[in-house]
Amino acid sequence: MPNEVGNPSLQDLLRVLDNNRVNKFYWLITILAAVGGFLFGYDTAAIGTAELFVPFHYEGFLLGYEVASASLGAAIGTVLAYFYTDKYGRKSLLIVDALIYALAAIGSALSVNGIMLLIMRTLLGVAIGADSAIATAYITEYAPKDKRGSLAIMQQWMITIGILGSYLIGSAIFYAVPDLAYSLGWRLVLGLAAVPALIGFAFRFIMPESPRWLLYTGKLDELKMELRKFGFDISEQNLERLRAITLTEMKEASLDDAAKKALIVVGLWLVFQQITGINVPFYYGPIVLSKLHLFGTAVNPVYSNIYAVLESAILAAINVAATFIAFRYIDRIGRRTLGLSAYIGMLISDLIGGISVVRGFLPGVLIAFAGFIIFFAYGVGGTGWLIQAEYFDTRIRGRMAAIGALIDWLANFVIIEVFPVMLSSIGLAGSMFIFAVLDVVALMFIYLFVPETKGLSLEEIVEMFKQVPFTQLRHGRELIAPTLLQREEKH
């Protein structure tokens, strides 16, 4: 039986949402929202698993586009999300996103030539980009404030599970039918992504629209229906009162000074998230693991690929486990503290890795790679997507999240282009020392400018960026505490 929300003001209704108890319904819709994260991880890893057996080969421009297609598609997806989500809502974009994932996965499996496969990879990128722009923002808008970090981190956790799932499923397929690897095997690896995509597409229709988006856009009749799904009810009398309030109090949000400050912090976090070296362990970890011969050696290319994928799965499993740490503790320890400790650990890992490469000590390199992944996963990867969603006014959150996602994908593209040049000029050890320097810069940035936001409502976070000067943001939580206390005493 829904609880009645009595005599609500805007703040009263938001307070009810912020302090609700997380139940099975919250977890269900969060998992449905994060299905795109699983597909994001699965599809980006699946092409690497299947690529050896794909019969299409590229040269010249197409060879470069093979690598860049998903990134280009992701950039397009973030632009589409920018123009769509604040105007038409979060739910419908997530539904369309799941459908694009499904169609692109099926199209990839049925590709008759290399051009078709590249088109499908670009289409997958569109889904990935749109999903990275809006999924976490959607989750933050219904999540109670003391569980917002844990619920939002589910998106990043599902990405890591998707990567691991891709490795394990690919290995199982190639091991079960090695003779069909070059005909049916690679198509199964790519096409199976359509199964969770279609499940997500079907069940996302039962998801509620973001209650905050409905409130701030004045869609109160729909808000009343959606709030019932969260366990609340509003009488017609109180609904009309709320309608009158929204007509007088709601104003068009814009890119004001608060949003600009928030965008700078989010943008820099996402840039550092990419350029501090996360590609190193995932590019070169499998090479180091293969030299340790953990799964033996094989002449048959099918079994060689299986061994290589299983070796990659070790690092992917570490990534999954470490992201679970963020899931459990980000609302207890906080975003800022986890970020600071993570970059300290990444710095130490890069130094250990660089020294181990110089000395030719492969176990040391492996330890460094594993350590880097652990620290990145629990304090940097998912945290970037979380603050991208929680720093902005609801009326512009979709657009700002899309800009953040675009920044992230552009930084990803740049490091993919620059990293091979670094390796050819200064080697793996030199590259890791460069990344160690960047870790120091990122650490200074977080210490000086990133505020703590655990336990604050989304509206309180926006208010903090409005009131606190940029140079004092690291103390933002403490500086606005008296204002928040006065507000609580009034209620």
Side-chain angles (χ1 to χ4, degrees):
M1 189 71 183
N3 298 316
E4 171 69 28
V5 181
N7 198 31
S9 66
L10 295 179
Q11 291 74 24
D12 291 333
L13 183 54
L14 292 171
R15 190 174 291 106
V16 166
L17 288 171
D18 282 331
N19 293 285
N20 197 24
R21 184 176 63 86
V22 173
N23 54 29
K24 291 180 181 178
F25 179 71
Y26 279 91
W27 290 114
L28 173 63
I29 60 176
T30 300
I31 290 171
L32 286 174
V35 165
F38 176 86
L39 294 166
F40 180 163
Y42 184 94
D43 285 315
T44 51
I47 190 64
T49 304
E51 189 173 21
L52 179 64
F53 308 110
V54 174
F56 316 127
H57 303 286
Y58 305 100
E59 297 179 354
F61 172 78
L62 292 180
L63 181 62
Y65 190 73
E66 181 185 13
V67 177
S69 56
S71 295
L72 175 62
I76 296 171
T78 62
V79 173
L80 292 177
Y82 177 91
F83 288 104
Y84 183 96
T85 185
D86 282 331
K87 186 174 183 180
Y88 299 107
R90 295 22 171 160
K91 175 181 174 178
S92 58
L93 181 60
L94 288 171
I95 292 172
V96 172
D97 190 48
L99 181 60
I100 294 174
Y101 269 124
L103 294 175
I106 294 170
S108 297
L110 299 178
S111 294
V112 296
N113 54 45
I115 298 297
M116 181 176 177
L117 182 58
L118 290 181
I119 292 173
M120 291 301 106
R121 293 292 299 166
T122 305
L123 192 59
L124 274 171
V126 172
I128 290 170
D131 187 84
S132 64
I134 200 56
T136 307
Y138 169 76
I139 294 169
T140 61
E141 289 180 348
Y142 63 74
K145 62 183 181 180
D146 64 337
K147 292 292 185 181
R148 188 174 62 243
S150 297
L151 289 170
I153 286 292
M154 182 68 74
Q155 168 76 358
Q156 179 69 18
W157 196 21
M158 290 289 274
I159 292 173
T160 65
I161 292 172
I163 294 171
L164 178 59
S166 173
Y167 291 152
L168 297 179
I169 290 171
S171 297
I173 289 173
F174 292 133
Y175 185 82
V177 286
D179 295 338
L180 299 179
Y182 292 92
S183 55
L184 180 64
W186 69 270
R187 295 182 187 275
L188 279 175
V189 172
L190 299 181
L192 281 175
V195 175
L198 290 172
I199 293 172
F201 174 71
F203 283 95
R204 279 180 171 181
F205 282 96
I206 70 171
M207 291 167 57
E209 180 55 272
S210 160
R212 270 185 167 83
W213 180 79
L214 292 171
L215 177 62
Y216 280 95
T217 52
K219 303 180 186 299
L220 299 185
D221 292 323
E222 189 178 348
L223 173 65
K224 180 180 179 180
M225 292 187 296
E226 300 293 35
L227 282 177
R228 281 182 170 272
K229 298 177 182 178
F230 290 97
F232 303 110
D233 198 7
I234 299 179
S235 68
E236 287 298 324
Q237 179 181 356
N238 284 328
L239 188 68
E240 290 306 313
R241 181 174 181 272
L242 194 59
R243 194 186 309 277
I245 293 172
T246 59
L247 288 174
T248 57
E249 292 188 14
M250 290 300 184
K251 299 178 182 179
E252 181 68 25
S254 60
L255 188 62
D256 57 11
D257 288 341
K260 290 175 183 176
K261 284 187 284 187
L263 187 58
I264 291 172
V265 175
V266 168
L268 285 173
W269 184 295
L270 292 173
V271 168
F272 282 122
Q273 176 181 294
Q274 291 295 331
I275 69 171
T276 47
I278 188 56
N279 285 319
V280 175
F282 285 114
Y283 282 7
Y284 283 87
I287 294 174
V288 174
L289 284 165
S290 67
K291 291 181 179 179
L292 296 176
H293 302 296
L294 297 178
F295 294 95
T297 58
V299 177
N300 187 319
V302 175
Y303 290 103
S304 294
N305 189 58
I306 291 172
Y307 295 156
V309 170
L310 288 175
E311 287 154 359
S312 299
I314 294 174
L315 297 178
I318 292 171
N319 200 12
V320 171
T323 305
F324 180 74
I325 298 173
F327 170 76
R328 287 295 303 271
Y329 294 106
I330 195 163
D331 285 316
R332 301 183 197 179
I333 298 176
R335 292 72 159 140
R336 175 183 168 87
T337 303
L338 281 182
L340 288 170
S341 64
Y343 270 112
I344 291 172
M346 289 159 62
L347 168 62
I348 294 171
S349 297
D350 275 329
L351 292 175
I352 292 173
I355 294 170
S356 297
V357 171
V358 170
R359 294 181 174 274
F361 182 55
L362 287 182
V365 179
L366 179 58
I367 291 170
F369 285 170
F372 189 97
I373 291 171
I374 290 170
F375 290 113
F376 178 91
Y378 87 64
V380 177
T383 307
W385 297 116
L386 171 58
I387 66 171
Q388 168 221 35
E390 66 180 8
Y391 278 11
F392 302 100
D393 188 293
T394 297
R395 290 160 290 181
I396 61 171
R397 180 171 292 112
R399 282 170 282 172
M400 296 302 99
I403 291 175
L406 179 60
I407 291 171
D408 184 86
W409 282 106
L410 290 175
N412 174 270
F413 178 77
V414 168
I415 198 64
I416 287 174
E417 291 295 319
V418 172
F419 187 40
V421 178
M422 293 172 62
L423 288 169
S424 63
S425 57
I426 60 176
L428 181 56
S431 298
M432 296 189 76
F433 291 136
I434 293 293
F435 288 129
V437 173
L438 292 172
D439 291 332
V440 173
V441 177
L443 190 60
M444 293 172 60
F445 153 70
I446 293 176
Y447 177 77
L448 293 173
F449 301 113
V450 174
E452 183 52 73
T453 54
K454 71 171 182 176
L456 298 178
S457 72
L458 296 177
E459 288 70 30
E460 289 167 347
I461 294 171
V462 172
E463 189 65 27
M464 177 176 63
F465 277 98
K466 287 181 179 179
Q467 293 186 20
V468 178
F470 188 83
T471 55
Q472 294 298 310
L473 279 175
R474 69 181 183 275
H475 303 303
R477 185 186 181 88
E478 294 79 11
L479 291 175
I480 66 165
T483 303
L484 300 181
L485 181 62
Q486 292 174 6
R487 188 178 300 167
E488 286 297 322
E489 289 173 348
K490 289 181 181 180
H491 291 276

